[in-house]
Amino acid sequence: MRTPVIETERLILRPITMDDCQDAYDRWTSDPEVAKYMIYNTHTSIEDTKGWLSTIDIDSDTDFDFAVCVKDEDNYMCGSCGLSYKKDIDCFVAGYNFARDHWRKGYGTETMQALVKFGTEVLHQTVLESSFHKENVVSGHVLEKCGFEIIGEGNKTKLDGTTPFEFYEMRYRIKPSKETFKLYNGVEVEPVGFGTYKSSEGAVRNALDAGYTYLDTASYYFNEDVVGSEVKASGIARDKIFIASKVWPTQFGYEETKKAFGESIEKLGTDYLDLYLVHWPKLTKDDIQWKRKLIATWKAMEELYKEGKIRAIGVSNFMPHHMKVILDNCDIKPMVNQLELHIGYMQNYAVEFCRKNDIHVQAWSPLGRGRLNEDEIIQKFARKYAVSPQKLMLRFLVQQGISVIPKANNPVNMKNNLDIYDFTISDEDMSFLMSLPERGFSGEFPDLEDFEN
Ligand SMILES: NC(=O)c1ccc[n+]([C@@H]2O[C@H](COP(=O)([O-])OP(=O)(O)OC[C@H]3O[C@@H](n4cnc5c(N)ncnc54)[C@H](OP(=O)(O)O)[C@@H]3O)[C@@H](O)[C@H]2O)c1
């Protein structure tokens, strides 16, 4: 792509050309007060400026170099700016410089804002970098105003290898807004819910205080009464909280499921559920009746849904061959499939099947229940994005449209787990993390479990 023309309120950013040499030389490249903050030495002849401009390839796909002109003074050229792709850091680097008589008039901010807009909206970059001379405090403020943050400091030498100077490196990152996920029946699901399996007393209350609005429980967790009483104690209106529970395989069957549902809502102190899931597809690995029982269970789920007692119905730990039993024999397709999913155990065959059938995928044990805490690769990527390994793991799932329900008894952990929207994992890193060999798997296979006792 050629360097485009960008107009701001007061400026025109247009491709810089060799015809601009004289003006650039006369106005700033020969000024030592400008050059002292820049990577180039003061130009002492027009040839120096020609040499600099001749390195610019205006048809480049990766470097965008602009002359900055003030609009209302007959397109008076007063500076230059650019965005250049740096292979070693896989990132575009933005910079600008202005003639001294154009300093402190807000032109730097206006220019950098235009470069950030171009870099993010046209070049689709989620990260941009820049740097400024440590003594150039004003440039530091300009970059901060444009959303850059200091990420490090170092020493640079001028282009001719002389005069080392200290500089700060800065990074601009798009802050992704919080996604919300919609089930195919229109019900909205929070990307980060709160898992309550083995949660301690008071954890649900703390989670609600921390800002969670989605609670995942199950009859099998034997905590629905605690969840219910902590919801009540929070004083938060029922319709502001999303409550999901599950029917356990020992409760399968048409009548049994209806009874189990009644017991769950009674313990939870509510007259409806936002989501009700079939916890596992079968009771035992040798149960030859599992399909018949599953169909009867699902019929009860469908009826409860049609009666308005459940806002959405779904399954958990279902592989495609389990889901097909429902799809082939029932009226309503599951809206959710809750699966063990985390870096190192992505069950792609099941996730892909759900996506094809518009079934929302939700991750249980999104943190691998602590089994991934010491994983070196996860730690390496967490360091790269300057986040905790847990934040990386949750963002990895949510970025794929998968909601997560991390459990945390520690109030600091539960708060941190909600805060995953200030960074984006690059496509390349997503692909790498997605293809990692198995790690952190619980060992639970839906076709090999026995839940009879
Ligand atoms: N459908 C199913 O079959 C099924 C199966 C299992 C689980 N689930 C659901 O999924 C939920 C989550 O799964 P899970 O409980 O197995 O495991 P998890 O959420 O992957 O991991 C929970 C563990 O991670 C720790 N942790 C949480 N946030 C952390 C942070 N920011 N930094 C460091 N450590 C952190 C917790 O410690 P602290 O508690 O000390 O904070 C806890 O030890 C369950 O609670 C349950 O609701 C469903």
Side-chain angles (χ1 to χ4, degrees):
M1 183 206 269
R2 292 179 72 113
T3 303
V5 176
I6 299 173
E7 290 204 35
T8 69
E9 200 178 326
R10 295 177 299 165
L11 303 171
I12 298 170
L13 277 54
R14 60 152 177 80
I16 194 163
T17 71
M18 289 304 282
D19 295 341
D20 294 315
C21 271
Q22 192 66 51
D23 285 344
Y25 179 71
D26 293 344
R27 294 171 188 172
W28 72 88
T29 61
S30 60
D31 183 346
E33 282 304 301
V34 177
K36 80 175 183 195
Y37 296 132
M38 308 306 295
I39 189 105
Y40 60 83
N41 282 94
T42 312
H43 291 182
T44 52
S45 79
I46 182 85
E47 295 311 314
D48 291 341
T49 304
K50 281 185 182 161
W52 162 58
L53 275 178
S54 66
T55 62
I56 289 172
D57 173 5
I58 28 175
D59 286 337
S60 163
D61 272 344
T62 50
D63 287 348
F64 302 90
D65 295 281
F66 301 88
V68 184
C69 306
V70 177
K71 260 187 200 170
D72 57 2
E73 285 176 44
D74 202 17
N75 290 347
Y76 180 88
M77 190 177 90
C78 55
S80 66
C81 68
L83 262 181
S84 309
Y85 178 71
K86 297 277 179 260
K87 205 169 173 215
D88 52 334
I89 53 169
D90 185 23
C91 184
F92 278 87
V93 175
Y96 68 92
N97 70 344
F98 275 90
R100 213 167 353 137
D101 57 353
H102 282 72
W103 287 5
R104 296 177 182 275
K105 292 179 177 156
Y107 291 133
T109 305
E110 209 168 310
T111 301
M112 284 307 281
Q113 282 170 343
L115 290 185
V116 165
K117 194 166 162 26
F118 176 68
T120 54
E121 293 179 10
V122 180
L123 302 178
H124 304 294
Q125 299 299 300
T126 52
V127 176
L128 299 172
E129 289 204 0
S130 190
S131 61
F132 67 96
H133 194 297
K134 263 191 178 177
E135 286 166 23
N136 191 355
V137 181
V138 175
S139 265
H141 292 324
V142 165
L143 289 165
E144 266 168 14
K145 252 195 255 176
C146 296
F148 286 80
E149 285 170 351
I150 290 181
I151 50 165
E153 51 190 287
N155 291 301
K156 268 186 191 168
T157 45
K158 295 274 189 180
L159 286 175
D160 65 358
T162 62
T163 339
F165 62 91
E166 290 177 295
F167 70 98
Y168 287 116
E169 250 176 340
M170 299 194 93
R171 182 176 291 160
Y172 170 93
R173 279 199 300 223
I174 287 192
K175 292 195 175 28
S177 56
K178 186 177 134 183
E179 294 103 310
T180 46
F181 300 132
K182 229 182 211 170
L183 308 183
Y184 77 76
N185 69 341
V187 167
E188 293 205 21
V189 169
E190 281 295 312
V192 184
F194 187 69
T196 68
Y197 182 49
K198 297 198 172 160
S199 61
S200 56
E201 215 181 306
V204 168
R205 183 67 203 277
N206 288 340
L208 293 171
D209 287 347
Y212 285 87
T213 56
Y214 186 115
L215 302 173
D216 178 81
T217 182
S219 59
Y220 178 72
Y221 302 168
F222 299 103
N223 68 355
E224 288 168 309
D225 48 349
V226 176
V227 173
S229 63
E230 295 193 15
V231 166
K232 195 169 171 204
S234 75
I236 300 171
R238 170 67 185 90
D239 65 353
K240 298 283 180 276
I241 301 177
F242 191 109
I243 302 179
S245 192
K246 312 181 192 83
V247 55
W248 189 242
T250 52
Q251 298 170 312
F252 279 5
Y254 177 79
E255 292 300 339
E256 293 86 339
T257 298
K258 288 203 165 178
K259 183 165 170 265
F261 170 79
E263 286 165 3
S264 283
I265 57 169
E266 193 183 335
K267 286 183 188 147
L268 284 161
T270 177
D271 49 9
Y272 72 96
L273 282 181
D274 295 280
L275 176 66
Y276 199 38
L277 302 173
V278 179
H279 208 143
W280 289 86
K282 41 168 106 159
L283 179 62
T284 69
K285 58 179 185 292
D286 302 318
D287 186 357
I288 52 168
Q289 298 290 327
W290 72 272
K291 290 185 185 171
R292 190 184 54 76
K293 286 188 205 160
L294 181 58
I295 293 166
T297 299
W298 193 255
K299 288 279 172 210
M301 305 272 288
E302 286 181 336
E303 273 188 29
L304 292 163
Y305 174 72
K306 285 179 193 160
E307 288 163 14
K309 292 181 177 153
I310 311 173
R311 293 177 62 229
I313 50 177
V315 295
S316 176
N317 302 300
F318 273 48
M319 298 301 110
H321 62 285
H322 306 122
M323 281 182 275
K324 275 190 183 139
V325 175
I326 296 183
L327 299 188
D328 292 347
N329 294 284
C330 305
D331 295 337
I332 303 175
K333 162 176 96 157
M335 286 136 206
V336 173
N337 190 5
Q338 187 184 102
L339 297 163
E340 176 177 354
L341 296 173
H342 46 73
I343 293 177
Y345 194 65
M346 281 308 293
Q347 307 209 59
N348 289 330
Y349 40 93
V351 171
E352 276 316 305
F353 183 89
C354 290
R355 288 199 172 127
K356 275 194 198 117
N357 285 283
D358 203 12
I359 297 169
H360 175 72
V361 179
Q362 185 170 62
W364 65 258
S365 282
L367 304 172
R369 207 176 281 174
R371 291 184 292 273
L372 293 164
N373 286 358
E374 307 305 322
D375 188 276
E376 278 180 20
I377 294 182
I378 294 176
Q379 289 193 352
K380 183 181 133 197
F381 278 88
R383 276 196 301 277
K384 173 173 176 182
Y385 288 95
V387 297
S388 68
Q390 289 74 21
K391 196 160 157 167
L392 182 92
M393 288 189 258
L394 297 177
R395 182 78 200 148
F396 168 77
L397 291 160
V398 169
Q399 214 169 293
Q400 298 173 56
I402 297 173
S403 59
V404 294
I405 44 166
K407 169 258 178 187
N409 282 338
N410 179 325
V412 176
N413 288 347
M414 63 175 76
K415 237 184 163 56
N416 287 343
N417 294 345
L418 278 177
D419 176 28
I420 58 162
Y421 299 103
D422 58 353
F423 75 114
T424 304
I425 304 172
S426 71
D427 291 347
E428 194 182 338
D429 292 345
M430 285 296 286
S431 155
F432 179 86
L433 292 168
M434 194 86 79
S435 58
L436 281 178
E438 187 179 301
R439 58 198 62 219
F441 174 40
S442 66
E444 294 172 48
F445 276 112
D447 284 312
L448 299 178
E449 301 298 319
D450 278 326
F451 298 118
E452 204 150 26
N453 303 308

